[in-house]
Amino acid sequence: MNPVKTTVIVFSATGTSRKSAMAIAKGIGCPVEVIDVTALADAVQPKTFGPDELVIFGAPCYGGRIPKIAMPRLAAFKGEGTPCIVTTAYGNRDFDDALVELCDMAKDNGFVPVGAAAMVAQHTFGTIAVGRPTAEDLAEDEAFGRKVLESLKNGIVDKTEVIPGNRPYKDGGNGGKFRPSTMDSCVNCGACRKACPAGAIGEDNQTIDNDKCISCFRCIPVCPMKAKAIQNPAYDEFCVGFNERLAARQESKFFI
Ligand SMILES: Cc1cc2nc3c(=O)[nH]c(=O)nc-3n(C[C@H](O)[C@H](O)[C@H](O)COP(=O)(O)O)c2cc1C
Ligand code: SF4
Ligand code: SF4
């Protein structure tokens, strides 16, 4: 088959899962639509896809799994024997069971996983894999898209068996423990509250609900005033060891 359209369905707090999934879509080469389910403020509109379309699911790896908060949003979409590519962005440690979890969700919802990709991206915490995905990374992702397109010409073949991971999955998918704080430079524009995937920022745009926040750090780059930041010596201390532990370069991995 030759897909008439590609839809990229992503949860991407800091944008890397989205960037990498979009690069694969570019390699596929047909018209692309993006459904971004990251912000809690944007209600997910469930949709069903036909067998002549292609869907690319994208989400980060959190603790070896897909973020718990993202799963129901991604699972709102159904296929009718629709081919899909499952993808995760991971911060240079490991993607563990994130891909099999996405693969199983997609199959349960009527999709056929025809390929998978775990793509290295800058880690949310510390200074690990800074600047990734680079242009070279994205070129690799695009080349993978072309490969999937080639394989689709021979029909829609389920590739579950080549996607690595454990069943049952390891525990994970939770947020981290560090919370941003709000500086005096905040001008109350509300951008951070609107963008927060967890609804963790209060009506005052300043207070953060510790129980809701998942440490995705999306509110930090979103703020035009640089008024959301991590101001915690314990975080700085954590980063020293974390940066060292994850310094060795990892490569993106593609499965087809
Ligand atoms: C709470 C949390 C847990 C994470 N766990 C992992 C992990 O297990 N393995 C890994 O390689 N990266 C991990 N990361 C890093 C993210 O997977 C990585 O930064 C990813 O690029 C973020 O994707 P996004 O830009 O689409 O939000 C974690 C990040 C956060 C915030
Ligand atoms: S408040 Fe927490 S959950 Fe919300 S965007 Fe900021 S880091 Fe993410
Ligand atoms: S985005 Fe920045 S300036 Fe706007 S409300 Fe949030 S912290 Fe304040």
Side-chain angles (χ1 to χ4, degrees):
M1 61 93 71
N2 214 340
V4 294
K5 185 181 163 191
T6 301
T7 303
V8 177
I9 302 176
V10 281
F11 177 98
S12 184
T14 52
T16 58
S17 305
R18 177 173 170 145
K19 232 190 227 176
S20 303
M22 290 301 288
I24 295 177
K26 192 171 171 204
I28 300 284
C30 56
V32 182
E33 186 192 345
V34 185
I35 300 178
D36 195 316
V37 299
T38 315
L40 188 64
D42 300 329
V44 176
Q45 304 283 337
K47 195 172 167 179
T48 301
F49 297 90
D52 57 346
E53 299 182 68
L54 175 73
V55 167
I56 302 177
F57 287 102
C61 171
Y62 277 15
R65 297 277 301 274
I66 298 300
K68 280 183 181 148
I69 202 171
M71 279 310 271
R73 302 184 201 178
L74 298 170
F77 299 91
K78 310 284 174 217
E80 290 172 335
T82 311
C84 79
I85 304 172
V86 291
T87 75
T88 191
Y90 73 105
N92 208 49
R93 186 192 66 77
D94 202 330
F95 56 95
D96 298 301
D97 303 337
L99 285 181
V100 286
E101 185 182 10
L102 266 187
C103 168
D104 294 346
M105 177 280 291
K107 282 176 79 157
D108 284 349
N109 287 329
F111 294 93
V112 182
V114 296
M119 298 168 283
V120 178
Q122 179 161 346
H123 203 292
T124 315
F125 307 145
T127 47
I128 295 154
V130 174
R132 296 185 76 185
T134 59
E136 289 77 25
D137 290 320
L138 296 173
E140 247 192 293
D141 304 342
E142 198 179 325
F144 176 66
R146 287 194 292 274
K147 240 182 178 175
V148 173
L149 182 68
E150 265 319 295
S151 89
L152 282 173
K153 293 198 168 126
N154 301 321
I156 301 171
V157 181
D158 187 332
K159 298 287 173 65
T160 306
E161 291 310 314
V162 303
I163 303 173
N166 305 292
R167 294 180 182 84
Y169 321 129
K170 68 175 280 191
D171 282 340
N174 301 307
K177 62 180 180 186
F178 297 106
R179 304 287 178 258
S181 23
T182 309
M183 317 290 123
D184 291 344
S185 53
C186 170
V187 293
N188 251 312
C189 70
C192 56
R193 182 161 50 90
K194 191 161 180 281
C196 175
I201 302 175
E203 286 291 319
D204 62 357
N205 296 315
Q206 318 234 337
T207 321
I208 290 169
D209 184 328
N210 277 338
D211 295 332
K212 286 186 181 166
C213 176
I214 56 167
S215 302
C216 72
F217 290 9
R218 182 172 167 87
C219 51
I220 298 172
V222 156
C223 175
M225 303 305 293
K226 296 192 175 15
K228 284 271 188 286
I230 306 295
Q231 288 204 309
N232 180 349
Y235 174 72
D236 299 336
E237 231 170 82
F238 159 81
C239 287
V240 174
F242 198 56
N243 290 345
E244 259 174 43
R245 209 148 39 85
L246 298 187
R249 184 186 162 92
Q250 303 292 321
E251 299 304 334
S252 297
K253 299 191 172 75
F254 302 95
F255 307 97
I256 186 163

